[in-house]
Amino acid sequence: MRMTIRVLLVDDDALVRAGLRLMLDGAPDIEIVGEAADGDHVVPLVDAHRPHVVLMDIRMPAVDGLTATETLRRRAEPPEVLVLTTFHADSQVLRALRAGAAGFLLKDTPPAEIVAAVRKVAAGEPVLSPAVTRQLIQHVAPAGYDSRWERAREVLAVLGEREREVAVGVGRGLANAEIAASLYMSVPTVKTHVSRILTKLDLNNRVQIALLVHDAGLLEEAGAGEE
């Protein structure tokens, strides 16, 4: 039997919450366990209902979705967070991804895709490809890039050579099979390397690996090496 996915809706717009509830309630394996109109209600609701996934708006009046996401992701066994936004290029979306959000959804995403996204993140898969992450980065002003470059280089220095190569593959948006083919590895070996990278760097998902690789300038170096 398929697990019932518990979902918490967080948005200050009651109409948006009603629309999300309508589309998600139709899925037999998804249960809406609660709603919040502001980020300051998220932690008590998570404690009370133990959702697997939180659909989180960014802009809210008292506590914004970014702060709420950072608070949740610092907890032991936190729920997955899907950020809801009306913009493709939003600096706060990137900040939420750096904090450990599993991805983002535009509020006009078709219902079937929202349902599929909830199922994916509940299964531990991000719903944002590294390629889309790079598009976001390119459209958002790189405030603090120099300090991020130094920190990213420092963090990635703990990786071995093969782990670093796999990390670059993740940063390029390649699937495990594509990384395996490009590096002459087996897919299980790539999966093992990805798991080790996440553990060594204390990251939540592949999107955060991609962000670190981008900040460290490794994609540019890899591209120069291929010329």
Side-chain angles (χ1 to χ4, degrees):
M1 291 181 63
R2 178 178 283 182
M3 173 190 75
T4 297
I5 302 167
R6 299 190 299 277
V7 176
L8 174 66
L9 305 178
V10 185
D11 197 297
D12 63 340
D13 189 329
L15 287 176
V16 171
R17 296 200 309 274
L20 289 169
R21 176 178 282 277
L22 183 64
M23 69 180 70
L24 292 172
D25 269 345
D29 57 334
I30 295 176
E31 176 188 4
I32 307 300
V33 295
E35 297 184 18
D38 204 287
D40 59 354
H41 300 144
V42 171
V43 170
L45 286 171
V46 167
D47 287 340
H49 300 292
R50 300 293 178 186
H52 299 107
V53 178
V54 177
L55 285 178
M56 182 84 75
D57 188 22
I58 288 182
R59 294 173 176 82
M60 290 180 286
V63 175
D64 61 53
L66 172 63
T67 302
T69 297
E70 291 172 336
T71 299
L72 287 180
R73 295 305 300 176
R74 285 195 296 264
R75 294 161 61 93
E77 299 183 6
E80 298 293 347
V81 176
L82 264 176
V83 174
L84 293 167
T85 181
T86 54
F87 303 101
H88 287 271
D90 190 318
S91 61
Q92 292 199 6
V93 170
L94 277 179
R95 289 173 62 192
L97 295 176
R98 293 183 193 282
F104 80 93
L105 291 171
L106 296 176
K107 290 186 178 180
D108 60 358
T109 299
E113 292 182 23
I114 291 180
V115 172
V118 168
R119 287 174 176 152
K120 283 189 69 175
V121 298
E125 302 174 37
V127 297
L128 177 66
S129 74
V132 174
T133 305
R134 290 201 302 275
Q135 290 176 17
L136 268 173
I137 292 168
Q138 290 166 5
H139 285 88
V140 176
Y145 179 77
D146 289 344
S147 62
R148 288 204 307 270
W149 183 89
E150 291 178 3
R151 178 186 174 280
R153 289 272 172 163
E154 208 172 282
V155 170
L156 290 169
V158 305
L159 300 182
E161 182 179 353
R162 294 302 264 175
E163 291 169 339
R164 187 182 178 95
E165 291 172 341
V166 169
V168 170
V170 172
R172 289 171 57 199
L174 301 181
N176 285 343
E178 294 172 312
I179 296 173
S182 67
L183 297 178
Y184 305 101
M185 295 179 179
S186 68
V187 172
T189 299
V190 172
K191 289 181 178 178
T192 298
H193 279 309
V194 171
S195 295
R196 285 177 180 166
I197 292 167
L198 291 171
T199 300
K200 278 188 175 184
L201 304 186
D202 194 24
L203 301 178
N204 294 286
N205 54 50
R206 294 169 73 100
V207 173
Q208 288 185 310
I209 296 176
L211 288 168
L212 264 179
V213 167
H214 174 274
D215 288 348
L218 298 188
L219 296 178
E220 292 81 359
E221 289 181 7
E226 292 170 359
E227 292 176 358

